Amino acid sequence: MQQSRFLMCPPDYFEVAYEINPWMSVERLVDRKRAEAQWRAYYELLSGPLDAQVELLAPAPGLPDLVFTANAGLVRERIFVRSHFRFKERRGEEAHFEKWFKSRGYRVKTLDLPFCFEGEGDALSMGEELYTGYHFRSDLEAHEQAAGILRSDYFALELCDKRFYHLDTCFAPIDSQSALVFFPAFESCSQMILWETVPDPIRVSEEEALRFACNAVVAGQNVVLPSGCPNVSKELEKRGYAVYALDFSEFIKAGGAAKCLVLKL
Ligand code: ARG
């Protein structure tokens, strides 16, 4: 089996300094020590027992959400389609991501302004297909351009619940057959697309979706997801996956968990 490769960024400057999604409140302080320990446990699990190759991006002061590398862009082979964030609070991250990919020899592509694109947060591969989420953060036009650059077919899905503002908060492809899906986060036509194109959708309850069950990462035959999601874990185990449930409480305060903290390389 091919080794998984991910980009992560240590949480040295992570905090909730502004509010750009319903999970964030500047009044609910992040416990820095806990965040650091949670991130480290996750990093060590991926790079150790799960045998993934994890590359690191240097953290930068003033960019508290840089830890959520999933939003850097979208990578296919040696092409990096860079994000353009919806909110000015995160736009400072764009140059950091671009620099990292340029220095490693990737072909960096940007999309036409003013369209927004938030990378793997809103664009996930399942087998040969690309699934994209639009409305709150990324624009449909951006996905059309990104898919064109990558010469990929794509299914555009409209998000409709602001608690699930990125695609990776309500949809997680597991392999070419199965995906975790929290259906109510999608407009009805988009729900139909999912029913018709995903051979084995694993329906996630609202209770577990709110614990970020869909914010899961696959590495080989392993899946990492936030703790407190027993039903999803059971479904994945039935399908032959080993499930690792970790505590992401500090990152959930910013609206992210396992998937948001990694970008597939
Ligand atoms: N605070 C960040 C934001 O609102 C969280 C990003 C989570 N990332 C993700 N891929 N869902 O932009």
Side-chain angles (χ1 to χ4, degrees), residues 170 180-184 202-209 213-214 232:
C170 46
L180 305 177
V181 188
F182 176 58
F183 282 95
I202 301 172
R203 295 178 74 150
V204 177
S205 66
E206 174 158 350
E207 195 187 349
E208 293 194 1
C214 297
V232 164

Side-chain angles (χ1 to χ4, degrees), residues 129-140:
E129 317 289 356
L130 189 62
Y131 285 80
T132 64
Y134 66 96
H135 185 75
F136 297 110
R137 296 300 188 86
S138 300
D139 293 312
L140 195 51

Side-chain angles (χ1 to χ4, degrees), residues 14-16 18-22 24 64-65 68-71 85 87 90 93 118-122 137 165-169 212 215 251 253-257 259-262:
F14 172 65
E15 61 175 329
V16 177
Y18 45 78
E19 298 172 1
I20 57 170
N21 70 54
M24 301 175 92
D65 278 337
F68 298 116
T69 52
N71 298 122
F85 287 91
F87 295 107
R90 293 198 67 182
E93 298 176 33
E118 298 206 354
E120 258 193 353
D122 276 328
R137 296 300 188 86
Y165 58 97
H166 274 140
L167 181 66
D168 69 2
T169 63
F212 278 74
N215 208 245
F251 299 98
K253 290 176 182 170
K259 175 64 202 82
C260 306
L261 293 168
V262 302

Side-chain angles (χ1 to χ4, degrees), residues 37-133:
Q38 290 173 357
W39 186 91
R40 188 137 296 278
Y42 182 34
Y43 169 79
E44 280 169 5
L45 173 67
L46 286 176
S47 55
L50 302 198
D51 194 36
Q53 187 185 334
V54 183
E55 308 273 349
L56 292 178
L57 172 78
L63 298 174
D65 278 337
L66 196 64
V67 286
F68 298 116
T69 52
N71 298 122
L74 184 61
V75 180
R76 278 262 172 107
E77 283 149 35
R78 301 300 294 169
I79 302 177
F80 172 63
V81 182
R82 201 205 70 194
S83 289
H84 177 55
F85 287 91
R86 172 76 59 191
F87 295 107
K88 63 176 182 336
E89 286 85 346
R90 293 198 67 182
R91 288 193 179 155
E93 298 176 33
E94 294 165 13
H96 284 266
F97 292 130
E98 180 159 339
K99 203 167 129 204
W100 192 91
F101 282 92
K102 270 204 176 126
S103 73
R104 274 142 189 97
Y106 285 81
R107 269 170 57 208
V108 176
K109 300 281 188 181
T110 52
L111 306 176
D112 294 345
L113 296 175
F115 303 120
C116 296
F117 174 58
E118 298 206 354
E120 258 193 353
D122 276 328
L124 295 162
S125 295
M126 176 160 177
E128 290 295 296
E129 317 289 356
L130 189 62
Y131 285 80
T132 64

